[in-house]
Amino acid sequence: MTALLSVSDLSRHFGGVAAVDGLSFDVNDNEILGIIGPNGAGKTTAINLISGVIKPDSGSVLFSGEEVTGIAPHRLADKGLVRTFQATTVFDQRTVRENTLRGAYLSLFPGFFPALFATAAARRKRSAAEALVDEVLDWLSLTEVAEITAGNLPYGYQKTLGMAIALAARPRLVMMDEPVAGLSAEEADHVRDTIKRVRERGITVIVIDHNMRFISGLCDRVFVIHQGRGLAVGTPADVLSNTAVIEAYLGKGHGAAVDH
Ligand SMILES: Nc1ncnc2c1ncn2[C@@H]1O[C@H](COP(=O)(O)OP(=O)(O)OP(=O)(O)O)[C@@H](O)[C@H]1O
Ligand SMILES: [Mg+2]
């Protein structure tokens, strides 16, 4: 299998804390890779490093064979690597459609001056973006709520909107940090099915979550991070029965890794 993303020896310290400490892993083309690990393990920091939100102290990130270490998020989005947006990055006063259009502009942005003068090229890009938004909303079952302002959406829908914004950027790889945190079991099942449909479209997915039922029902492989480093990788069943993994969770007072 081809690695779409290859992370090698990535490290990032915050003061005296080694948040990510020599982390290496690969993500295969079109797989769903789960990332788990106790609180404070370095999962979010790893995603922040890969998505260019913060820069690593050392190490490298290859995306589709190209060195992309430390590149800014919008440039990574151009290349097809995006992360989902958290509820806090959604514009509350804007509708679901307007918010999703923002995501589409990450990949189709006509540029300031062309937009200002409404050139033919800018108009073409705008209609391409609008068509893409319609498609993404339909795909995530958001069409019915397209004209509702984001701030008035139930929480579960807000999470799906975060996914819509990311997908409208037409990614090859999308990274999601705790997409089902705070959702009911039924809502989590809906998100799981949506992510499976995302993969069927040829998109590769990295998903972090603490909900083991969600992770094992979704992921091809699971990668465990502990104290900023890789601890285990394999099928969900193998990883969740791995003694070192269970100890990592128990050691932090979280109960068995297979909880939830
Ligand atoms: N901006 C920051 N400044 C200082 N320390 C930070 C910063 N970001 C993360 N850390 C520290 O780095 C370590 C890893 O944090 P991180 O948020 O990546 O963990 P996590 O695996 O995502 O945890 P959780 O499951 O709770 O979300 C923690 O000790 C955290 O306190
Ligand atoms: Mg986190």
Side-chain angles (χ1 to χ4, degrees):
M1 263 192 268
T2 349
L4 178 60
L5 183 80
S6 213
V7 173
S8 307
D9 214 12
L10 205 60
S11 293
R12 170 68 197 231
H13 294 67
F14 293 109
V17 179
V20 167
D21 191 17
L23 192 69
S24 300
F25 66 98
D26 283 349
V27 187
N28 299 318
D29 201 9
N30 206 214
E31 83 170 327
I32 302 178
L33 179 79
I35 298 185
I36 65 169
N39 290 114
K43 306 180 295 296
T44 298
T45 305
I47 295 300
N48 285 342
L49 290 168
I50 296 166
S51 62
V53 173
I54 56 174
K55 291 191 193 306
D57 298 332
S58 57
S60 83
V61 179
L62 291 185
F63 181 61
S64 197
E66 186 188 350
E67 173 80 50
V68 295
T69 320
I71 285 183
H74 70 277
R75 286 189 53 215
L76 284 172
D78 273 350
K79 294 178 188 294
L81 200 167
V82 301
R83 61 184 302 156
T84 51
F85 290 77
Q86 306 297 310
T88 49
T89 58
V90 166
F91 291 123
D92 278 2
Q93 304 303 319
R94 299 287 181 179
T95 65
V96 166
R97 183 185 302 283
E98 288 164 343
N99 269 290
T100 309
L101 198 56
R102 241 174 80 217
Y105 276 138
L106 277 178
S107 65
L108 293 166
F109 191 63
F112 180 70
F113 285 106
L116 194 63
F117 295 112
T119 62
R123 280 199 301 274
R124 269 198 305 278
K125 280 185 178 167
R126 176 148 189 115
S127 35
E130 282 167 351
L132 181 63
V133 166
D134 282 342
E135 192 186 339
V136 169
L137 294 181
D138 177 49
W139 182 20
L140 298 185
S141 313
L142 287 174
T143 308
E144 273 180 19
V145 297
E147 309 311 331
I148 294 182
T149 50
N152 290 324
L153 285 177
Y155 186 60
Y157 276 101
Q158 297 205 4
K159 288 261 194 184
T160 312
L161 174 57
M163 223 186 277
I165 297 170
L167 293 173
R170 300 190 297 182
R172 285 186 68 192
L173 170 66
V174 62
M175 301 189 283
M176 305 179 180
D177 194 356
E178 302 201 21
V180 299
L183 299 188
S184 68
E186 195 184 328
E187 288 170 326
D189 286 350
H190 177 73
V191 171
R192 181 199 60 210
D193 294 343
T194 303
I195 295 174
K196 284 183 176 171
R197 291 208 301 278
V198 167
R199 184 256 286 281
E200 280 163 18
R201 296 257 175 152
I203 296 170
T204 305
V205 179
I206 297 179
V207 56
I208 297 176
D209 216 280
H210 286 289
N211 180 331
M212 297 305 160
R213 180 173 167 272
F214 169 74
I215 289 287
S216 24
L218 176 65
C219 301
D220 303 310
R221 290 190 308 145
V222 176
F223 176 56
V224 187
I225 301 183
H226 181 46
Q227 297 175 344
R229 309 182 66 92
L231 179 68
V233 66
T235 63
D238 284 350
V239 161
L240 295 179
S241 60
N242 179 312
T243 315
V245 174
I246 294 169
E247 277 172 13
Y249 274 84
L250 285 172
K252 292 267 182 175
H254 278 269
V258 286
D259 261 5
H260 295 278

